Amino acid sequence: MSDEKNENVEEKVEDAFEEQDSSTLEDVKNNKGMAILAYIGFLFIVPLLAAKESKFAMYHTNQGLVLFIIGFAIYIVGSIIPVIGWLLILPLGSLFWLVWAVIGIINAANGQEKSLPLIGKMQILK
């Protein structure tokens, strides 16, 4: 009985992979580099201009843009507020920014469209 359930689950998984559009897989394969660039500082502009027809690259470009804006805000606020900003906001904010960037790069390199924790639901680019 459990073997039948396992076979049914395996068949459903295989069907789901077969139903996945081959153009989507091709898009991911061709635009991984652009998606990775989106998380490196101001370089989100490169995929924004060069791969705007790629759904995969644009997803990661949006994530990179949000990350850039959050990082910019962290540095502005941390620089303006004396002592607390210098000793708490800037170091912790930079650490969070670095972790988010690494997570985004890993997701892009693995061909996944996973949102970044806490900030990933923000959408700037449509």
Side-chain angles (χ1 to χ4, degrees), residues 36-86:
I36 291 169
L37 275 180
Y39 292 101
I40 302 172
F42 194 72
L43 292 180
F44 70 86
I45 199 88
V46 174
L48 183 63
L49 298 173
K52 55 185 160 190
E53 58 282 329
S54 168
K55 182 180 176 250
F56 179 73
M58 290 308 291
Y59 175 82
H60 288 287
T61 301
N62 181 70
Q63 296 279 296
L65 177 59
V66 169
L67 184 60
F68 177 78
I69 292 170
I70 295 291
F72 189 74
I74 288 169
Y75 285 109
I76 294 295
V77 171
S79 297
I80 291 174
I81 300 173
V83 184
I84 293 173
W86 304 328

Side-chain angles (χ1 to χ4, degrees), residues 20-40:
Q20 195 172 22
D21 191 15
S22 64
S23 64
T24 303
L25 295 174
E26 194 68 28
D27 180 29
V28 170
K29 182 180 174 186
N30 291 337
N31 293 296
K32 274 187 185 179
M34 288 292 178
I36 291 169
L37 275 180
Y39 292 101
I40 302 172

Side-chain angles (χ1 to χ4, degrees), residues 50-126:
K52 55 185 160 190
E53 58 282 329
S54 168
K55 182 180 176 250
F56 179 73
M58 290 308 291
Y59 175 82
H60 288 287
T61 301
N62 181 70
Q63 296 279 296
L65 177 59
V66 169
L67 184 60
F68 177 78
I69 292 170
I70 295 291
F72 189 74
I74 288 169
Y75 285 109
I76 294 295
V77 171
S79 297
I80 291 174
I81 300 173
V83 184
I84 293 173
W86 304 328
L87 299 177
L88 190 65
I89 295 173
L90 281 175
L92 289 178
S94 298
L95 181 63
F96 276 110
W97 184 88
L98 181 64
V99 168
W100 282 325
V102 169
I103 290 171
I105 289 170
I106 290 170
N107 288 339
N110 289 334
Q112 300 172 338
E113 287 186 9
K114 285 186 178 177
S115 298
L116 295 174
L118 302 173
I119 64 170
K121 300 297 180 191
M122 295 180 204
Q123 187 171 5
I124 297 173
L125 302 173
K126 301 266 177 180

